[in-house]
Amino acid sequence: MPVPTAGLPARVRIHEVGARDGLQNEKTTVPTEVKAEFIHRLAQAGLTTIEATSFVHPDWVPQLADAERLFPLVSDLEGVHLPVLVPNNRGLDRALALGARRLAVFASATETFAKANLNRTLEESLAVFEPVVTRAKDEHAHVRGYVSMCFGDPWEGAVPVHQVVHVCKALLDMGCDELSLGDTIGVGTPGHVRALLAALNESGVPTDVIGVHFHDTYGQALANTFAALEHGVTTVDASAGGLGGCPYAKSATGNLATEDLVWMLRGLGIDTGIDLGRLVATSEWMAGQLGRPSPSRTVRALSHQEQ
Ligand code: HMG
Ligand code: MG
């Protein structure tokens, strides 16, 4: 095991999004039992935060229309947090009724994506989230606030840092416990990551509430993650096997693959508690279910090989 690298965190918490962000864009319906097995296998590989599903409108994301059937199949997993996405009070009702204790609202840094993803203007969507977060906090639930399109937007181009800061502060002010900065279409670069994190700190947002969520469209996801680690970020979102995309952002490709992330962190001496061999085997199994190979370089390199 390599020694920890000076200036980088000793431990990173991986927020696994494969079962939600990874699958939400799949055209062919993945059976609920397969999703449940995927989540169980991810837990056996050592992931402790596994985003399970979304309580959104079933017509908007048909792949996740089975949230009510899936959640009870995984909610007894010991020692695993199972965050779920809720877009509004109706989604919160559905999630709380099943005993979900980790919730996520999802805002956008841009007007166009707020409209495409939530059918609301940016400010309207924040107004919808406010009572959701208040009620979730009254129920002592943990609430994550996603912010999509933090770096670029397919319709609006480069996104000014101040727009992102505004939305992040609004989410924290309403009571969110943590943020996830989404590079939804994967156009960010390390310099932009540094600038955004510095601007957030300058506006009073501490690094310890910030998570990062990179997509790998331009091959920058690991470099961007490294820049965030250097800044002190310790929560990194990733998707097993690099599954993913976003149904309402056409140019979004896969998320940062969890295996690629674990490989880099392991090389840096950063502890994740993940069994890479088991994780690769899980992504190979899931690739078999989906009928196409994983795009993750690490999964491809380690498939059928001894760790
Ligand atoms: P809307 O059509 O404006 O909904 O959609 P509405 O509020 O007008 O309600 C219309 C009907 O839908 C009503 O029923 C509601 O009860 C029902 P009616 O009274 O007509 O019979 N309804 C619901 N039913 C079930 N569950 C609900 C729900 N809400 C309303 N939660 C809405 C607005 C937010 C519902 C819709 O736009 C939606 O579901 N959007 C979800 C989109 C989504 O999931 N996108 C992907 C996640 S974001 C992402 O992937 C990015 C991220 O990974 C970070 C990154 O990469 O950047 C997080
Ligand atoms: Mg995403």
Side-chain angles (χ1 to χ4, degrees):
M1 185 74 183
V3 289
T5 309
L8 295 182
R11 195 173 168 87
V12 161
R13 185 172 65 87
I14 298 182
H15 183 111
E16 169 60 45
V17 298
R20 192 279 305 172
D21 202 357
L23 294 184
Q24 69 184 3
N25 209 27
E26 284 296 322
K27 295 286 168 279
T28 312
T29 306
V30 179
T32 309
E33 291 67 28
V34 171
K35 294 176 185 171
E37 183 170 347
F38 185 37
I39 291 170
H40 278 96
R41 285 180 181 239
L42 291 169
Q44 282 159 12
L47 286 152
T48 52
T49 305
I50 305 174
E51 209 164 85
T53 187
S54 301
F55 291 89
V56 295
H57 196 294
D59 291 348
W60 280 65
V61 186
Q63 182 63 252
L64 304 184
D66 62 350
E68 263 80 6
R69 285 195 298 121
L70 174 64
F71 195 77
L73 297 179
V74 295
S75 56
D76 61 346
L77 274 169
E78 291 277 328
V80 177
H81 295 305
L82 295 163
V84 294
L85 266 59
V86 293
N88 53 20
N89 261 319
R90 174 90 178 86
L92 181 65
D93 288 342
R94 293 171 59 201
L96 291 178
L98 292 172
R101 305 302 307 148
R102 292 236 161 188
L103 306 158
V105 293
F106 46 104
S108 168
T110 66
E111 280 297 344
T112 319
F113 189 63
K115 197 77 189 156
N117 201 38
L118 293 158
N119 203 22
R120 301 284 182 276
T121 66
L122 203 163
E123 293 304 324
E124 283 168 355
S125 65
L126 293 175
V128 169
F129 295 146
E130 179 140 36
V132 173
V133 177
T134 302
R135 195 148 71 88
K137 293 312 300 170
D138 287 348
E139 298 283 338
H140 307 291
H142 180 276
V143 187
R144 153 176 271 224
Y146 274 106
V147 184
S148 289
M149 304 297 176
C150 287
F151 298 88
D153 172 289
W155 303 279
E156 299 183 24
V159 176
V161 160
H162 69 85
Q163 253 172 251
V164 185
V165 170
H166 165 72
V167 177
C168 288
K169 285 183 72 81
L171 290 170
L172 290 176
D173 286 349
M174 62 179 84
C176 285
D177 297 288
E178 70 172 11
L179 298 168
S180 173
L181 307 178
D183 185 8
T184 316
I185 57 168
V187 292
T189 54
H192 199 160
V193 172
R194 283 194 201 104
L196 177 56
L197 292 171
L200 283 164
N201 290 161
E202 275 162 30
S203 75
V205 176
T207 303
D208 62 2
V209 302
I210 300 174
V212 287
H213 180 113
F214 295 119
H215 285 245
D216 207 28
T217 321
Y218 287 80
Q220 305 294 297
L222 276 180
N224 289 340
T225 303
F226 192 81
L229 297 176
E230 282 184 317
H231 195 88
V233 169
T234 58
T235 299
V236 180
D237 297 2
S239 173
L243 293 171
C246 178
Y248 295 101
K250 291 296 173 228
S251 50
T253 61
N255 291 74
L256 167 61
T258 314
E259 291 85 351
D260 297 8
L261 174 62
V262 171
W263 182 263
M264 181 179 82
L265 294 176
R266 202 162 85 164
L268 291 168
I270 297 176
D271 186 17
T272 61
I274 288 170
D275 178 334
L276 186 56
R278 281 187 113 153
L279 185 57
V280 168
T282 298
S283 290
E284 280 190 278
W285 168 82
M286 197 62 203
Q289 299 293 323
L290 298 174
R292 59 168 194 278
S294 161
S296 158
R297 300 281 182 89
T298 304
V299 170
R300 290 186 192 187
L302 296 180
S303 289
H304 310 302
Q305 289 180 22
E306 288 299 310
Q307 300 299 300

Coordinates of all heavy atoms in Angstrom, one line a residue, residues 17 20-21 24 146 148 182-184 213 215 245-246 255, ligand 2:
V17 N -23.2 6.3 -7.2 CA -24.4 6.7 -7.9 C -24.9 5.8 -9.0 O -25.8 6.1 -9.8 CB -24.4 8.2 -8.4 CG1 -24.1 9.2 -7.3 CG2 -23.3 8.4 -9.5
R20 N -28.6 4.8 -9.4 CA -29.5 5.9 -9.7 C -29.1 6.7 -11.0 O -29.6 6.5 -12.1 CB -29.6 6.8 -8.5 CG -30.8 7.9 -8.6 CD -30.5 9.1 -9.4 NE -29.3 9.8 -9.0 CZ -28.8 10.8 -9.7 NH1 -29.4 11.2 -10.8 NH2 -27.7 11.4 -9.3
D21 N -28.0 7.4 -10.9 CA -27.5 8.2 -12.0 C -27.1 7.3 -13.2 O -27.3 7.6 -14.3 CB -26.3 9.1 -11.6 CG -26.1 10.3 -12.5 OD1 -26.8 10.4 -13.5 OD2 -25.2 11.0 -12.2
Q24 N -30.5 5.6 -14.6 CA -31.7 6.3 -15.0 C -31.9 6.6 -16.5 O -33.0 6.8 -16.9 CB -31.7 7.7 -14.2 CG -30.6 8.7 -14.7 CD -30.6 9.9 -13.9 OE1 -31.3 10.1 -12.9 NE2 -29.8 10.9 -14.3
Y146 N -27.9 18.7 -4.7 CA -27.1 18.6 -5.9 C -27.2 19.9 -6.6 O -28.3 20.6 -6.6 CB -27.7 17.6 -6.8 CG -27.2 16.1 -6.6 CD1 -28.1 15.2 -6.1 CD2 -26.0 15.7 -7.1 CE1 -27.7 13.9 -5.9 CE2 -25.6 14.4 -7.0 CZ -26.4 13.5 -6.4 OH -26.0 12.2 -6.3
S148 N -26.5 20.9 -10.6 CA -26.1 20.4 -11.9 C -25.6 21.6 -12.7 O -25.8 22.8 -12.4 CB -27.3 19.8 -12.6 OG -27.7 18.6 -12.1
G182 N -22.1 19.2 -9.6 CA -22.2 18.4 -10.7 C -21.6 19.0 -12.0 O -22.0 20.1 -12.4
D183 N -20.7 18.3 -12.6 CA -20.3 18.6 -14.0 C -21.1 17.7 -14.9 O -20.6 16.8 -15.5 CB -18.8 18.4 -14.1 CG -18.3 18.9 -15.5 OD1 -19.1 19.5 -16.2 OD2 -17.1 18.6 -15.8
T184 N -22.3 18.0 -15.0 CA -23.3 17.2 -15.7 C -22.9 16.7 -17.1 O -23.2 15.6 -17.5 CB -24.7 17.9 -15.7 OG1 -24.9 18.5 -14.4 CG2 -25.8 17.0 -16.0
H213 N -19.0 15.8 -8.3 CA -19.7 14.8 -9.1 C -19.3 15.1 -10.6 O -19.9 16.0 -11.3 CB -21.2 15.1 -8.9 CG -22.1 14.2 -9.7 ND1 -22.9 13.3 -9.1 CD2 -22.4 14.1 -11.0 CE1 -23.7 12.6 -10.0 NE2 -23.4 13.1 -11.2
H215 N -18.5 14.0 -14.6 CA -18.8 13.1 -15.7 C -17.5 13.2 -16.6 O -16.8 14.2 -16.6 CB -20.0 13.6 -16.5 CG -21.3 13.2 -15.7 ND1 -22.2 12.3 -16.2 CD2 -21.8 13.6 -14.5 CE1 -23.3 12.2 -15.4 NE2 -23.0 13.0 -14.3
G245 N -25.3 9.0 -17.4 CA -25.7 10.0 -18.4 C -26.8 10.8 -17.7 O -27.0 10.6 -16.5
C246 N -27.5 11.6 -18.4 CA -28.6 12.3 -17.8 C -29.7 12.4 -18.8 O -29.5 12.9 -19.9 CB -28.3 13.7 -17.2 SG -29.7 14.5 -16.5
N255 N -20.7 8.8 -15.9 CA -20.0 9.4 -14.7 C -18.6 8.9 -14.6 O -18.2 7.8 -15.2 CB -20.8 8.9 -13.4 CG -22.2 9.5 -13.3 OD1 -23.1 9.1 -14.1 ND2 -22.4 10.4 -12.4
Ligands
MG2 MG -24.9 12.9 -12.7

